[in-house]
Amino acid sequence: MDLQQLEEEARQAALKDIQNMLQRPGQLEKVEQYRHRIARKKASVEALLKTGMQNQLEGVRVGLKQLETCMQDVREVRRRMDAVERLLEGVPEVYDALEVVREENTKHSQYATAMENLKHIFNVDASVQKTMALIDEDKLLNAHQCLSDLENSRDDLLYELHKQPKQHASDKITLKRHFEKVDTVSQALEKKIRLIISRTLNTVRKKPTVIVTALRIVEREEKNDQFAVQQQKVTGFLPPGRPKAWRKMIMDVLQGAVITRIEGSKLEERADNKMWLVRDLEILRQIILEDLRVVKSLCVPCFPPHYDIFNEYVKFYHEGLSSYLDNIVRSGLEGNEYVSMLAWVTHTYPGVELMSHPDLSVDVHKLAGPLLRQEHLKALENEYLQNMQRNYQEWMTKAAQTEKQEWFSEMVPDQDEHYYHTSAPVIIFQMIDQHLQVTNTIHQELTFKALVMSIQQVEIFGQTYLKNVIELKEHHFRNRDQIKYFTHYIITIVNNSQQMVELAQQMKQLYWPKSRTDHYEDFEKLLATFQRIRAHAANYLLEEAFLDMECHFNDLFTVKWLGSSIAVDTICVTLDDYFQDYNHLRPANFEMVINEAQKLLAKRYIRALLSKRLSKPRVECDAITRKINQEAKRFKLFFEKIAPKISLSDSPLDLIATLSALLISDIELLILDLHTLLGSYPSLSEDHLVRLFYIRNDVKAAEVREKVQDAMKSKKSMVSIAKQDCIFKEIVFSDKLW
């Protein structure tokens, strides 16, 4: 670093600072203050620099001291390494010199091992026989001790052979052949333990010590396996038959026993008993519950804690049951077997009746997962719904055919409280309700799917029903003598349709989730279908009645009509006769038919009024108007008589008197009356009004036409106010009066 350059730069910086400080004359007075301030700053910087230099020097001193210590350590290590190298120079000579000693040591080790196992070497057959006898006498701990002695002798000798630098295969073969019966004993003991463990649930109730003994032997063998594996990692030697893995063996035996117990519970087949699956599942529930109680209360104290035997048993039963039920499902289910299977899997098995029972308290979903895989459950639910749909289709098709056959029969329909009906609506919805109650025991989503499917099937039934009703009507009107009880069965159809709507609404209240809006259009479609059937059937009733009165409506507003009341008398008598049958309609249907009959009667009467059959002077119109009003009143009295409990306010029959009043109105004030009339009945057309005034021949046609057209021109476009305004829309004439 160039000190002169630094000093020059510092001097230049100082001059620059002085120039900045002494730019104005007044600043010269503060020179002394500037000097003291700079002096203090210089002293502070020098102190910091001095402290920094001292710290640096102290660090260098410590570092040099550590380096010196390291140098001393390195020299000491070097000196000792040299000493070691000098000592190792004589090792090869010593190694060669001790070759004889090593050979003798190996022989000594082999001889010592042979001496220790001499008893077993010479008494293998006797020891084997003794051990087998102990196994037969169920003295398993003693038998296992003898077996361990034999195996240890064999393994020690094999290990000595393994340690020899020059190994001969013939020596190992000879030694193994000498001890080959030891493997037979081991297999016999294993077989015995298998037998004991396979009977665990029975044995633990009577002789739990037998189970404990078998488990002690298994635990000893597990420790021997661990020692053998550890020894192999160090020496490369693994005794024959190791690891035995008896713990895994007994767990496999326990699982096999569980599977055998599950499969052995089946007592019947479908051919033997229709309720075979319900009985089978109930037996399984009882068996599993009882077995797991035994495991929890008796097996847990016998088994070592790390076996976690209760949870293991739960898994064994879960896996075995899952496989067993899966095979049943794959073989195919029928009818209510789907429900039994779904309800048992989703509720009974994980519920308080089995796994969540207070004696067990097992969260089986957390421990072992679902009993059947989700896709299998979904497939099972879909099969169940398809089976339900097939049953619906078969039954409803048969029900529609049966209903159709009854319509053509010679028998009067059944009555319930005086009302004609058939049992089909109740049976249909009882069947649906039973299915929904069953699905409700499984889960809500399945119930909703079943509900939607049921609604769709009932709507399809409704379409078929409507088609059959139309065919019935057409067949009857081609020849009205063929079907004896046509009116009675049409009344039955009206009542049935209303009942179907009511039952559907009740079903919706019971089963339709308030939060669900999807598929609601299916429900609305069902209601609309049966409302349409009800309306059609009601119209057919009145169509038949008015067909009988057709000739009498043709006699209205003729010269014959002016002097006679036969036409109206006959109409009332005919209606009264038909309404004797209509009394078999349910109240709501009867009211609907009453209203439709009034509307249809008013329409036919008004149509006759506007049919240009009569043309009289003003003087005679008073008598015509009185007769019209009397007949309108008679019609109303007739309906009040046959339906005293039904309100006849705003009756369509009131239109008759309203129109008749125009026949006697002052021609000068007619325009005002027309304005009032058109305000209430916007659908009243020019043709209607012109036809009405045809009866008054004292007024010139041109004058009537002019007033009517003036009134029509001033009529504002508006929505119908009067409820009965629609009647005028339905009265249309093909010919024109003017």
Side-chain angles (χ1 to χ4, degrees), residues 73-91:
D73 292 343
V74 168
R75 291 192 189 98
E76 180 63 20
V77 170
R78 180 62 183 270
R79 184 180 65 77
R80 294 189 179 186
M81 288 293 292
D82 291 342
V84 170
E85 287 179 358
R86 287 195 297 272
L87 291 173
L88 291 176
E89 288 176 356
V91 169

Side-chain angles (χ1 to χ4, degrees), residues 20-82:
N20 291 334
M21 287 188 293
L22 302 177
Q23 288 180 354
R24 295 187 297 277
Q27 291 177 326
L28 292 174
E29 297 175 359
K30 298 181 181 180
V31 169
E32 195 63 28
Q33 293 179 6
Y34 293 152
R35 182 182 296 167
H36 284 300
R37 187 170 66 187
I38 295 300
R40 286 196 302 272
K41 187 175 181 180
K42 179 183 177 185
S44 176
V45 171
E46 287 178 348
L48 290 172
L49 183 60
K50 183 177 179 181
T51 302
M53 289 297 294
Q54 287 177 349
N55 290 338
Q56 288 289 331
L57 290 173
E58 181 66 22
V60 171
R61 185 180 66 78
V62 172
L64 290 172
K65 191 170 183 180
Q66 290 177 346
L67 286 173
E68 183 180 358
T69 303
C70 288
M71 283 296 294
Q72 292 175 359
D73 292 343
V74 168
R75 291 192 189 98
E76 180 63 20
V77 170
R78 180 62 183 270
R79 184 180 65 77
R80 294 189 179 186
M81 288 293 292
D82 291 342

Side-chain angles (χ1 to χ4, degrees), residues 270 276-277 328-329 331-335 337-338 341 380 383:
R270 184 181 290 113
W276 69 277
L277 184 59
I328 291 178
V329 172
S331 65
L333 299 177
E334 297 178 1
E337 293 171 4
Y338 289 100
M341 180 65 74
L380 201 59
E383 288 178 16

Side-chain angles (χ1 to χ4, degrees), residues 405-413 481-486 489:
Q405 290 171 0
E406 289 180 358
W407 296 340
F408 293 89
S409 69
E410 296 289 325
M411 297 175 60
V412 179
D481 295 329
Q482 290 184 356
I483 303 175
K484 184 176 181 180
Y485 295 108
F486 172 79
Y489 278 107

Side-chain angles (χ1 to χ4, degrees), residues 497-498 500-502 505 524-537 589 592:
S497 300
Q498 182 206 4
M500 291 292 284
V501 171
E502 292 173 352
Q505 290 171 336
E524 295 291 342
K525 190 176 179 183
L526 181 148
L527 296 183
T529 297
F530 283 97
Q531 291 285 19
R532 189 161 60 251
I533 295 172
R534 178 173 176 248
H536 277 309
N589 296 326
M592 179 187 72

Side-chain angles (χ1 to χ4, degrees), residues 248-261:
K248 181 179 180 303
M249 176 268 294
I250 66 168
M251 299 307 284
D252 291 342
V253 170
L254 289 174
Q255 187 171 15
V258 166
I259 293 172
T260 302
R261 187 154 172 76

